[in-house]
Amino acid sequence: MSKSVIYLENVKRYYVVGDFCVKALDGVSLNINRGEFTSIMGPSGSGKSTMMNLIGCLDTATSGLIKIDGESTKGMNETELAYIRNKKVGFVFQQFNLLGRKTALSNVETPLLYAGISPKRRKEMAMDALEIVGLKDRMKHKPTELSGGQKQRVAIARAIVTDPSIILADEPTGALDTKTGGQIMELFESLNLQGRTVVFVTHDVKLGNMCNRQIHLRDGKIVEEY
Ligand SMILES: Nc1ncnc2c1ncn2[C@@H]1O[C@H](COP(=O)(O)OP(=O)(O)OP(=O)(O)O)[C@@H](O)[C@H]1O
Ligand SMILES: [Mg+2]
């Protein structure tokens, strides 16, 4: 049975800058079920990151309804949003966002610190996640001792270590060359085949076509969906 993990109903996100109002997201409705592999595409400024940040509870909507795993985030305070973020969402960013002074292993352990898991268990879980992304042998390396593709693998391990309901990736291949980007995409594909729900933003039509679903945004609205 399909189950909704991401539900947006007439979601708007307006930014007021001076006396100008930017309609970054202008009435988006969307449902994504568990196990789907979705790409978000659209020109620069069309609202892709805005939508990802709302789904990931990094930001709140101006109006509309957002449900994550069936739970409405409307009216939640920062603590409640942080809880959803930690429990339900794994983020992967274009620039990896790894802690530079920490090893791959401790970077992957980071989300578990907030989840209150024992140090021993944290290490086991982080090692398992690094194994999934094929980087267990680099666990003692710091980000500067890793290639771009390896850094992104560490970031993906960090995103999956809590076993979140949703993996959100905002242009995860944007800082990588085509070949490395393709390998990262294959990793997302295998994570999806293992049952994980993946939503990612890309400008690359070829990568977008690897998904079973595509959502195209323009001027804050969904203009095409298949
Ligand atoms: N904090 C902000 N304050 C004001 N306007 C913003 C803010 N963040 C985004 N915007 C505006 O909202 C619109 C959508 O931005 P968003 O970052 O979602 O685009 P995007 O589709 O991710 O673009 P890109 O492909 O370049 O990453 C843009 O017009 C942008 O200028
Ligand atoms: Mg963006």
PDB file of all heavy atoms in Angstrom, residues 112-151:
ATOM      1  N   LEU A 112      23.462  11.548  15.047  1.00  0.00           N
ATOM      2  CA  LEU A 112      23.111  10.599  16.110  1.00  0.00           C
ATOM      3  C   LEU A 112      23.347  11.191  17.496  1.00  0.00           C
ATOM      4  O   LEU A 112      22.746  10.754  18.478  1.00  0.00           O
ATOM      5  CB  LEU A 112      23.921   9.308  15.951  1.00  0.00           C
ATOM      6  CG  LEU A 112      23.740   8.573  14.617  1.00  0.00           C
ATOM      7  CD1 LEU A 112      24.740   7.437  14.498  1.00  0.00           C
ATOM      8  CD2 LEU A 112      22.320   8.059  14.477  1.00  0.00           C
ATOM      9  N   LEU A 113      24.225  12.216  17.552  1.00  0.00           N
ATOM     10  CA  LEU A 113      24.491  12.878  18.838  1.00  0.00           C
ATOM     11  C   LEU A 113      23.200  13.447  19.400  1.00  0.00           C
ATOM     12  O   LEU A 113      22.901  13.327  20.574  1.00  0.00           O
ATOM     13  CB  LEU A 113      25.487  14.029  18.648  1.00  0.00           C
ATOM     14  CG  LEU A 113      26.922  13.653  18.321  1.00  0.00           C
ATOM     15  CD1 LEU A 113      27.733  14.896  18.010  1.00  0.00           C
ATOM     16  CD2 LEU A 113      27.539  12.900  19.484  1.00  0.00           C
ATOM     17  N   TYR A 114      22.432  14.067  18.472  1.00  0.00           N
ATOM     18  CA  TYR A 114      21.190  14.706  18.903  1.00  0.00           C
ATOM     19  C   TYR A 114      20.104  13.681  19.189  1.00  0.00           C
ATOM     20  O   TYR A 114      19.115  13.975  19.832  1.00  0.00           O
ATOM     21  CB  TYR A 114      20.715  15.697  17.829  1.00  0.00           C
ATOM     22  CG  TYR A 114      21.778  16.677  17.450  1.00  0.00           C
ATOM     23  CD1 TYR A 114      22.403  16.609  16.216  1.00  0.00           C
ATOM     24  CD2 TYR A 114      22.192  17.647  18.362  1.00  0.00           C
ATOM     25  CE1 TYR A 114      23.408  17.500  15.880  1.00  0.00           C
ATOM     26  CE2 TYR A 114      23.197  18.536  18.035  1.00  0.00           C
ATOM     27  CZ  TYR A 114      23.802  18.463  16.786  1.00  0.00           C
ATOM     28  OH  TYR A 114      24.795  19.335  16.465  1.00  0.00           O
ATOM     29  N   ALA A 115      20.288  12.474  18.680  1.00  0.00           N
ATOM     30  CA  ALA A 115      19.258  11.447  18.871  1.00  0.00           C
ATOM     31  C   ALA A 115      19.475  10.670  20.170  1.00  0.00           C
ATOM     32  O   ALA A 115      18.700   9.774  20.499  1.00  0.00           O
ATOM     33  CB  ALA A 115      19.246  10.510  17.667  1.00  0.00           C
ATOM     34  N   GLY A 116      20.532  11.030  20.905  1.00  0.00           N
ATOM     35  CA  GLY A 116      20.766  10.411  22.207  1.00  0.00           C
ATOM     36  C   GLY A 116      21.112   8.934  22.164  1.00  0.00           C
ATOM     37  O   GLY A 116      20.579   8.134  22.937  1.00  0.00           O
ATOM     38  N   ILE A 117      22.009   8.555  21.256  1.00  0.00           N
ATOM     39  CA  ILE A 117      22.411   7.153  21.118  1.00  0.00           C
ATOM     40  C   ILE A 117      23.814   6.974  21.720  1.00  0.00           C
ATOM     41  O   ILE A 117      24.648   7.887  21.638  1.00  0.00           O
ATOM     42  CB  ILE A 117      22.373   6.761  19.622  1.00  0.00           C
ATOM     43  CG1 ILE A 117      20.922   6.777  19.134  1.00  0.00           C
ATOM     44  CG2 ILE A 117      23.028   5.415  19.358  1.00  0.00           C
ATOM     45  CD1 ILE A 117      20.768   6.829  17.654  1.00  0.00           C
ATOM     46  N   SER A 118      24.061   5.827  22.327  1.00  0.00           N
ATOM     47  CA  SER A 118      25.345   5.608  23.017  1.00  0.00           C
ATOM     48  C   SER A 118      26.523   5.682  22.037  1.00  0.00           C
ATOM     49  O   SER A 118      26.371   5.362  20.861  1.00  0.00           O
ATOM     50  CB  SER A 118      25.347   4.235  23.681  1.00  0.00           C
ATOM     51  OG  SER A 118      25.557   3.228  22.701  1.00  0.00           O
ATOM     52  N   PRO A 119      27.705   6.096  22.535  1.00  0.00           N
ATOM     53  CA  PRO A 119      28.881   6.240  21.663  1.00  0.00           C
ATOM     54  C   PRO A 119      29.206   4.958  20.884  1.00  0.00           C
ATOM     55  O   PRO A 119      29.526   5.022  19.695  1.00  0.00           O
ATOM     56  CB  PRO A 119      30.005   6.570  22.647  1.00  0.00           C
ATOM     57  CG  PRO A 119      29.324   7.188  23.805  1.00  0.00           C
ATOM     58  CD  PRO A 119      27.986   6.534  23.908  1.00  0.00           C
ATOM     59  N   LYS A 120      29.101   3.818  21.544  1.00  0.00           N
ATOM     60  CA  LYS A 120      29.433   2.551  20.887  1.00  0.00           C
ATOM     61  C   LYS A 120      28.494   2.288  19.712  1.00  0.00           C
ATOM     62  O   LYS A 120      28.912   1.954  18.617  1.00  0.00           O
ATOM     63  CB  LYS A 120      29.345   1.419  21.926  1.00  0.00           C
ATOM     64  CG  LYS A 120      29.713   0.063  21.375  1.00  0.00           C
ATOM     65  CD  LYS A 120      29.889  -0.948  22.508  1.00  0.00           C
ATOM     66  CE  LYS A 120      30.062  -2.356  21.999  1.00  0.00           C
ATOM     67  NZ  LYS A 120      28.818  -2.987  21.569  1.00  0.00           N
ATOM     68  N   ARG A 121      27.206   2.449  19.992  1.00  0.00           N
ATOM     69  CA  ARG A 121      26.188   2.216  18.974  1.00  0.00           C
ATOM     70  C   ARG A 121      26.298   3.241  17.833  1.00  0.00           C
ATOM     71  O   ARG A 121      26.115   2.909  16.669  1.00  0.00           O
ATOM     72  CB  ARG A 121      24.797   2.280  19.635  1.00  0.00           C
ATOM     73  CG  ARG A 121      23.646   1.973  18.737  1.00  0.00           C
ATOM     74  CD  ARG A 121      23.547   0.475  18.404  1.00  0.00           C
ATOM     75  NE  ARG A 121      22.620   0.293  17.286  1.00  0.00           N
ATOM     76  CZ  ARG A 121      22.938  -0.232  16.113  1.00  0.00           C
ATOM     77  NH1 ARG A 121      24.161  -0.672  15.881  1.00  0.00           N
ATOM     78  NH2 ARG A 121      22.043  -0.345  15.165  1.00  0.00           N
ATOM     79  N   ARG A 122      26.654   4.485  18.204  1.00  0.00           N
ATOM     80  CA  ARG A 122      26.842   5.542  17.197  1.00  0.00           C
ATOM     81  C   ARG A 122      27.911   5.147  16.202  1.00  0.00           C
ATOM     82  O   ARG A 122      27.743   5.293  14.995  1.00  0.00           O
ATOM     83  CB  ARG A 122      27.289   6.842  17.880  1.00  0.00           C
ATOM     84  CG  ARG A 122      26.177   7.642  18.493  1.00  0.00           C
ATOM     85  CD  ARG A 122      26.539   9.099  18.610  1.00  0.00           C
ATOM     86  NE  ARG A 122      27.738   9.407  19.361  1.00  0.00           N
ATOM     87  CZ  ARG A 122      27.769   9.764  20.652  1.00  0.00           C
ATOM     88  NH1 ARG A 122      26.652   9.835  21.337  1.00  0.00           N
ATOM     89  NH2 ARG A 122      28.904  10.061  21.236  1.00  0.00           N
ATOM     90  N   LYS A 123      28.998   4.634  16.752  1.00  0.00           N
ATOM     91  CA  LYS A 123      30.118   4.265  15.888  1.00  0.00           C
ATOM     92  C   LYS A 123      29.717   3.121  14.951  1.00  0.00           C
ATOM     93  O   LYS A 123      30.021   3.150  13.756  1.00  0.00           O
ATOM     94  CB  LYS A 123      31.320   3.865  16.748  1.00  0.00           C
ATOM     95  CG  LYS A 123      32.576   3.723  15.948  1.00  0.00           C
ATOM     96  CD  LYS A 123      33.801   3.481  16.810  1.00  0.00           C
ATOM     97  CE  LYS A 123      34.995   3.204  15.908  1.00  0.00           C
ATOM     98  NZ  LYS A 123      36.159   2.713  16.630  1.00  0.00           N
ATOM     99  N   GLU A 124      29.032   2.150  15.495  1.00  0.00           N
ATOM    100  CA  GLU A 124      28.574   1.011  14.665  1.00  0.00           C
ATOM    101  C   GLU A 124      27.663   1.490  13.534  1.00  0.00           C
ATOM    102  O   GLU A 124      27.823   1.092  12.384  1.00  0.00           O
ATOM    103  CB  GLU A 124      27.771   0.018  15.518  1.00  0.00           C
ATOM    104  CG  GLU A 124      28.592  -0.811  16.480  1.00  0.00           C
ATOM    105  CD  GLU A 124      27.719  -1.562  17.504  1.00  0.00           C
ATOM    106  OE1 GLU A 124      26.458  -1.474  17.443  1.00  0.00           O
ATOM    107  OE2 GLU A 124      28.313  -2.219  18.367  1.00  0.00           O
ATOM    108  N   MET A 125      26.712   2.350  13.901  1.00  0.00           N
ATOM    109  CA  MET A 125      25.756   2.837  12.903  1.00  0.00           C
ATOM    110  C   MET A 125      26.452   3.655  11.818  1.00  0.00           C
ATOM    111  O   MET A 125      26.149   3.531  10.628  1.00  0.00           O
ATOM    112  CB  MET A 125      24.657   3.673  13.572  1.00  0.00           C
ATOM    113  CG  MET A 125      23.708   2.843  14.426  1.00  0.00           C
ATOM    114  SD  MET A 125      22.642   3.860  15.456  1.00  0.00           S
ATOM    115  CE  MET A 125      21.406   4.376  14.270  1.00  0.00           C
ATOM    116  N   ALA A 126      27.400   4.510  12.243  1.00  0.00           N
ATOM    117  CA  ALA A 126      28.130   5.346  11.282  1.00  0.00           C
ATOM    118  C   ALA A 126      28.974   4.477  10.351  1.00  0.00           C
ATOM    119  O   ALA A 126      29.069   4.732   9.147  1.00  0.00           O
ATOM    120  CB  ALA A 126      28.994   6.358  12.018  1.00  0.00           C
ATOM    121  N   MET A 127      29.585   3.426  10.920  1.00  0.00           N
ATOM    122  CA  MET A 127      30.393   2.529  10.087  1.00  0.00           C
ATOM    123  C   MET A 127      29.518   1.788   9.077  1.00  0.00           C
ATOM    124  O   MET A 127      29.904   1.613   7.920  1.00  0.00           O
ATOM    125  CB  MET A 127      31.189   1.562  10.962  1.00  0.00           C
ATOM    126  CG  MET A 127      32.468   2.226  11.476  1.00  0.00           C
ATOM    127  SD  MET A 127      33.297   1.371  12.814  1.00  0.00           S
ATOM    128  CE  MET A 127      33.719  -0.165  12.094  1.00  0.00           C
ATOM    129  N   ASP A 128      28.340   1.380   9.510  1.00  0.00           N
ATOM    130  CA  ASP A 128      27.400   0.721   8.591  1.00  0.00           C
ATOM    131  C   ASP A 128      27.026   1.658   7.445  1.00  0.00           C
ATOM    132  O   ASP A 128      26.988   1.254   6.279  1.00  0.00           O
ATOM    133  CB  ASP A 128      26.117   0.303   9.332  1.00  0.00           C
ATOM    134  CG  ASP A 128      26.358  -0.897  10.255  1.00  0.00           C
ATOM    135  OD1 ASP A 128      27.427  -1.526  10.140  1.00  0.00           O
ATOM    136  OD2 ASP A 128      25.474  -1.184  11.088  1.00  0.00           O
ATOM    137  N   ALA A 129      26.746   2.921   7.793  1.00  0.00           N
ATOM    138  CA  ALA A 129      26.348   3.891   6.765  1.00  0.00           C
ATOM    139  C   ALA A 129      27.502   4.131   5.790  1.00  0.00           C
ATOM    140  O   ALA A 129      27.294   4.214   4.568  1.00  0.00           O
ATOM    141  CB  ALA A 129      25.908   5.196   7.406  1.00  0.00           C
ATOM    142  N   LEU A 130      28.728   4.211   6.319  1.00  0.00           N
ATOM    143  CA  LEU A 130      29.883   4.412   5.439  1.00  0.00           C
ATOM    144  C   LEU A 130      30.100   3.200   4.541  1.00  0.00           C
ATOM    145  O   LEU A 130      30.531   3.324   3.388  1.00  0.00           O
ATOM    146  CB  LEU A 130      31.141   4.693   6.269  1.00  0.00           C
ATOM    147  CG  LEU A 130      31.255   6.134   6.787  1.00  0.00           C
ATOM    148  CD1 LEU A 130      32.366   6.249   7.821  1.00  0.00           C
ATOM    149  CD2 LEU A 130      31.523   7.101   5.627  1.00  0.00           C
ATOM    150  N   GLU A 131      29.783   2.046   5.061  1.00  0.00           N
ATOM    151  CA  GLU A 131      29.903   0.829   4.253  1.00  0.00           C
ATOM    152  C   GLU A 131      28.897   0.864   3.075  1.00  0.00           C
ATOM    153  O   GLU A 131      29.240   0.515   1.952  1.00  0.00           O
ATOM    154  CB  GLU A 131      29.661  -0.397   5.124  1.00  0.00           C
ATOM    155  CG  GLU A 131      29.813  -1.701   4.349  1.00  0.00           C
ATOM    156  CD  GLU A 131      30.301  -2.847   5.213  1.00  0.00           C
ATOM    157  OE1 GLU A 131      29.884  -2.889   6.395  1.00  0.00           O
ATOM    158  OE2 GLU A 131      31.090  -3.660   4.713  1.00  0.00           O
ATOM    159  N   ILE A 132      27.680   1.306   3.363  1.00  0.00           N
ATOM    160  CA  ILE A 132      26.653   1.389   2.321  1.00  0.00           C
ATOM    161  C   ILE A 132      27.111   2.288   1.168  1.00  0.00           C
ATOM    162  O   ILE A 132      26.884   1.996   0.005  1.00  0.00           O
ATOM    163  CB  ILE A 132      25.300   1.895   2.913  1.00  0.00           C
ATOM    164  CG1 ILE A 132      24.697   0.811   3.818  1.00  0.00           C
ATOM    165  CG2 ILE A 132      24.311   2.286   1.802  1.00  0.00           C
ATOM    166  CD1 ILE A 132      23.495   1.251   4.623  1.00  0.00           C
ATOM    167  N   VAL A 133      27.784   3.402   1.503  1.00  0.00           N
ATOM    168  CA  VAL A 133      28.226   4.308   0.440  1.00  0.00           C
ATOM    169  C   VAL A 133      29.625   3.936  -0.090  1.00  0.00           C
ATOM    170  O   VAL A 133      30.192   4.648  -0.924  1.00  0.00           O
ATOM    171  CB  VAL A 133      28.231   5.792   0.906  1.00  0.00           C
ATOM    172  CG1 VAL A 133      26.840   6.206   1.378  1.00  0.00           C
ATOM    173  CG2 VAL A 133      29.266   6.044   2.006  1.00  0.00           C
ATOM    174  N   GLY A 134      30.170   2.825   0.400  1.00  0.00           N
ATOM    175  CA  GLY A 134      31.442   2.309  -0.127  1.00  0.00           C
ATOM    176  C   GLY A 134      32.665   3.058   0.368  1.00  0.00           C
ATOM    177  O   GLY A 134      33.666   3.161  -0.340  1.00  0.00           O
ATOM    178  N   LEU A 135      32.603   3.595   1.579  1.00  0.00           N
ATOM    179  CA  LEU A 135      33.731   4.399   2.061  1.00  0.00           C
ATOM    180  C   LEU A 135      34.244   4.012   3.444  1.00  0.00           C
ATOM    181  O   LEU A 135      34.887   4.814   4.109  1.00  0.00           O
ATOM    182  CB  LEU A 135      33.322   5.880   2.107  1.00  0.00           C
ATOM    183  CG  LEU A 135      33.638   6.730   0.889  1.00  0.00           C
ATOM    184  CD1 LEU A 135      33.437   8.194   1.251  1.00  0.00           C
ATOM    185  CD2 LEU A 135      35.072   6.536   0.413  1.00  0.00           C
ATOM    186  N   LYS A 136      33.975   2.788   3.841  1.00  0.00           N
ATOM    187  CA  LYS A 136      34.396   2.368   5.188  1.00  0.00           C
ATOM    188  C   LYS A 136      35.915   2.508   5.368  1.00  0.00           C
ATOM    189  O   LYS A 136      36.392   2.876   6.442  1.00  0.00           O
ATOM    190  CB  LYS A 136      33.968   0.924   5.411  1.00  0.00           C
ATOM    191  CG  LYS A 136      33.759   0.591   6.867  1.00  0.00           C
ATOM    192  CD  LYS A 136      33.182  -0.793   7.039  1.00  0.00           C
ATOM    193  CE  LYS A 136      33.114  -1.179   8.497  1.00  0.00           C
ATOM    194  NZ  LYS A 136      32.690  -2.583   8.644  1.00  0.00           N
ATOM    195  N   ASP A 137      36.652   2.265   4.284  1.00  0.00           N
ATOM    196  CA  ASP A 137      38.115   2.339   4.378  1.00  0.00           C
ATOM    197  C   ASP A 137      38.642   3.778   4.486  1.00  0.00           C
ATOM    198  O   ASP A 137      39.825   3.991   4.667  1.00  0.00           O
ATOM    199  CB  ASP A 137      38.754   1.625   3.177  1.00  0.00           C
ATOM    200  CG  ASP A 137      38.324   2.213   1.847  1.00  0.00           C
ATOM    201  OD1 ASP A 137      37.274   2.907   1.809  1.00  0.00           O
ATOM    202  OD2 ASP A 137      39.029   2.008   0.842  1.00  0.00           O
ATOM    203  N   ARG A 138      37.763   4.745   4.381  1.00  0.00           N
ATOM    204  CA  ARG A 138      38.192   6.146   4.509  1.00  0.00           C
ATOM    205  C   ARG A 138      37.643   6.792   5.787  1.00  0.00           C
ATOM    206  O   ARG A 138      37.655   8.001   5.919  1.00  0.00           O
ATOM    207  CB  ARG A 138      37.701   6.973   3.315  1.00  0.00           C
ATOM    208  CG  ARG A 138      38.285   6.579   1.979  1.00  0.00           C
ATOM    209  CD  ARG A 138      39.761   7.007   1.885  1.00  0.00           C
ATOM    210  NE  ARG A 138      40.266   6.870   0.531  1.00  0.00           N
ATOM    211  CZ  ARG A 138      40.681   5.727  -0.004  1.00  0.00           C
ATOM    212  NH1 ARG A 138      40.630   4.616   0.717  1.00  0.00           N
ATOM    213  NH2 ARG A 138      41.131   5.685  -1.247  1.00  0.00           N
ATOM    214  N   MET A 139      37.202   5.977   6.724  1.00  0.00           N
ATOM    215  CA  MET A 139      36.486   6.555   7.873  1.00  0.00           C
ATOM    216  C   MET A 139      37.344   7.477   8.732  1.00  0.00           C
ATOM    217  O   MET A 139      36.837   8.365   9.390  1.00  0.00           O
ATOM    218  CB  MET A 139      35.848   5.455   8.720  1.00  0.00           C
ATOM    219  CG  MET A 139      36.805   4.559   9.424  1.00  0.00           C
ATOM    220  SD  MET A 139      35.849   3.368  10.383  1.00  0.00           S
ATOM    221  CE  MET A 139      37.166   2.537  11.232  1.00  0.00           C
ATOM    222  N   LYS A 140      38.669   7.288   8.700  1.00  0.00           N
ATOM    223  CA  LYS A 140      39.529   8.145   9.522  1.00  0.00           C
ATOM    224  C   LYS A 140      39.992   9.396   8.778  1.00  0.00           C
ATOM    225  O   LYS A 140      40.700  10.234   9.324  1.00  0.00           O
ATOM    226  CB  LYS A 140      40.737   7.337   9.977  1.00  0.00           C
ATOM    227  CG  LYS A 140      40.343   6.160  10.880  1.00  0.00           C
ATOM    228  CD  LYS A 140      41.344   5.923  11.986  1.00  0.00           C
ATOM    229  CE  LYS A 140      40.820   4.965  13.032  1.00  0.00           C
ATOM    230  NZ  LYS A 140      41.441   3.627  12.965  1.00  0.00           N
ATOM    231  N   HIS A 141      39.603   9.498   7.506  1.00  0.00           N
ATOM    232  CA  HIS A 141      40.023  10.660   6.721  1.00  0.00           C
ATOM    233  C   HIS A 141      39.195  11.897   7.057  1.00  0.00           C
ATOM    234  O   HIS A 141      37.997  11.807   7.298  1.00  0.00           O
ATOM    235  CB  HIS A 141      39.857  10.376   5.221  1.00  0.00           C
ATOM    236  CG  HIS A 141      40.875   9.419   4.694  1.00  0.00           C
ATOM    237  ND1 HIS A 141      41.637   9.685   3.584  1.00  0.00           N
ATOM    238  CD2 HIS A 141      41.252   8.190   5.125  1.00  0.00           C
ATOM    239  CE1 HIS A 141      42.441   8.656   3.342  1.00  0.00           C
ATOM    240  NE2 HIS A 141      42.222   7.729   4.274  1.00  0.00           N
ATOM    241  N   LYS A 142      39.859  13.051   7.004  1.00  0.00           N
ATOM    242  CA  LYS A 142      39.137  14.318   7.140  1.00  0.00           C
ATOM    243  C   LYS A 142      38.726  14.779   5.742  1.00  0.00           C
ATOM    244  O   LYS A 142      39.312  14.339   4.754  1.00  0.00           O
ATOM    245  CB  LYS A 142      40.048  15.342   7.816  1.00  0.00           C
ATOM    246  CG  LYS A 142      40.282  14.976   9.268  1.00  0.00           C
ATOM    247  CD  LYS A 142      41.041  16.033  10.019  1.00  0.00           C
ATOM    248  CE  LYS A 142      41.159  15.602  11.470  1.00  0.00           C
ATOM    249  NZ  LYS A 142      42.305  16.209  12.141  1.00  0.00           N
ATOM    250  N   PRO A 143      37.731  15.672   5.661  1.00  0.00           N
ATOM    251  CA  PRO A 143      37.251  16.114   4.343  1.00  0.00           C
ATOM    252  C   PRO A 143      38.358  16.535   3.370  1.00  0.00           C
ATOM    253  O   PRO A 143      38.284  16.199   2.184  1.00  0.00           O
ATOM    254  CB  PRO A 143      36.327  17.280   4.680  1.00  0.00           C
ATOM    255  CG  PRO A 143      35.779  16.924   6.020  1.00  0.00           C
ATOM    256  CD  PRO A 143      36.901  16.249   6.744  1.00  0.00           C
ATOM    257  N   THR A 144      39.394  17.241   3.880  1.00  0.00           N
ATOM    258  CA  THR A 144      40.479  17.679   2.975  1.00  0.00           C
ATOM    259  C   THR A 144      41.252  16.491   2.402  1.00  0.00           C
ATOM    260  O   THR A 144      41.989  16.650   1.432  1.00  0.00           O
ATOM    261  CB  THR A 144      41.489  18.588   3.710  1.00  0.00           C
ATOM    262  OG1 THR A 144      41.879  17.929   4.923  1.00  0.00           O
ATOM    263  CG2 THR A 144      40.907  19.940   4.007  1.00  0.00           C
ATOM    264  N   GLU A 145      41.118  15.326   3.018  1.00  0.00           N
ATOM    265  CA  GLU A 145      41.836  14.141   2.538  1.00  0.00           C
ATOM    266  C   GLU A 145      40.944  13.264   1.657  1.00  0.00           C
ATOM    267  O   GLU A 145      41.231  12.096   1.439  1.00  0.00           O
ATOM    268  CB  GLU A 145      42.351  13.326   3.730  1.00  0.00           C
ATOM    269  CG  GLU A 145      43.302  14.124   4.607  1.00  0.00           C
ATOM    270  CD  GLU A 145      43.396  13.606   6.048  1.00  0.00           C
ATOM    271  OE1 GLU A 145      42.666  12.669   6.412  1.00  0.00           O
ATOM    272  OE2 GLU A 145      44.203  14.181   6.791  1.00  0.00           O
ATOM    273  N   LEU A 146      39.829  13.845   1.207  1.00  0.00           N
ATOM    274  CA  LEU A 146      38.882  13.092   0.377  1.00  0.00           C
ATOM    275  C   LEU A 146      38.631  13.838  -0.932  1.00  0.00           C
ATOM    276  O   LEU A 146      38.707  15.069  -0.975  1.00  0.00           O
ATOM    277  CB  LEU A 146      37.548  12.926   1.115  1.00  0.00           C
ATOM    278  CG  LEU A 146      37.561  12.108   2.408  1.00  0.00           C
ATOM    279  CD1 LEU A 146      36.261  12.312   3.167  1.00  0.00           C
ATOM    280  CD2 LEU A 146      37.786  10.622   2.113  1.00  0.00           C
ATOM    281  N   SER A 147      38.292  13.094  -1.987  1.00  0.00           N
ATOM    282  CA  SER A 147      37.917  13.726  -3.256  1.00  0.00           C
ATOM    283  C   SER A 147      36.495  14.272  -3.136  1.00  0.00           C
ATOM    284  O   SER A 147      35.785  13.974  -2.166  1.00  0.00           O
ATOM    285  CB  SER A 147      37.974  12.688  -4.373  1.00  0.00           C
ATOM    286  OG  SER A 147      36.918  11.754  -4.201  1.00  0.00           O
ATOM    287  N   GLY A 148      36.088  15.062  -4.132  1.00  0.00           N
ATOM    288  CA  GLY A 148      34.734  15.627  -4.114  1.00  0.00           C
ATOM    289  C   GLY A 148      33.660  14.554  -4.027  1.00  0.00           C
ATOM    290  O   GLY A 148      32.748  14.630  -3.198  1.00  0.00           O
ATOM    291  N   GLY A 149      33.808  13.533  -4.855  1.00  0.00           N
ATOM    292  CA  GLY A 149      32.827  12.442  -4.861  1.00  0.00           C
ATOM    293  C   GLY A 149      32.801  11.708  -3.525  1.00  0.00           C
ATOM    294  O   GLY A 149      31.734  11.338  -3.023  1.00  0.00           O
ATOM    295  N   GLN A 150      33.991  11.536  -2.935  1.00  0.00           N
ATOM    296  CA  GLN A 150      34.059  10.867  -1.623  1.00  0.00           C
ATOM    297  C   GLN A 150      33.421  11.724  -0.540  1.00  0.00           C
ATOM    298  O   GLN A 150      32.712  11.214   0.334  1.00  0.00           O
ATOM    299  CB  GLN A 150      35.518  10.552  -1.272  1.00  0.00           C
ATOM    300  CG  GLN A 150      36.103   9.423  -2.114  1.00  0.00           C
ATOM    301  CD  GLN A 150      37.592   9.250  -1.911  1.00  0.00           C
ATOM    302  OE1 GLN A 150      38.286  10.181  -1.490  1.00  0.00           O
ATOM    303  NE2 GLN A 150      38.101   8.065  -2.211  1.00  0.00           N
ATOM    304  N   LYS A 151      33.650  13.042  -0.615  1.00  0.00           N
ATOM    305  CA  LYS A 151      33.025  13.938   0.365  1.00  0.00           C
ATOM    306  C   LYS A 151      31.510  13.823   0.272  1.00  0.00           C
ATOM    307  O   LYS A 151      30.810  13.769   1.293  1.00  0.00           O
ATOM    308  CB  LYS A 151      33.444  15.396   0.100  1.00  0.00           C
ATOM    309  CG  LYS A 151      34.787  15.741   0.694  1.00  0.00           C
ATOM    310  CD  LYS A 151      35.070  17.217   0.592  1.00  0.00           C
ATOM    311  CE  LYS A 151      35.889  17.507  -0.620  1.00  0.00           C
ATOM    312  NZ  LYS A 151      36.967  18.433  -0.502  1.00  0.00           N
TER     313      LYS A 151
END
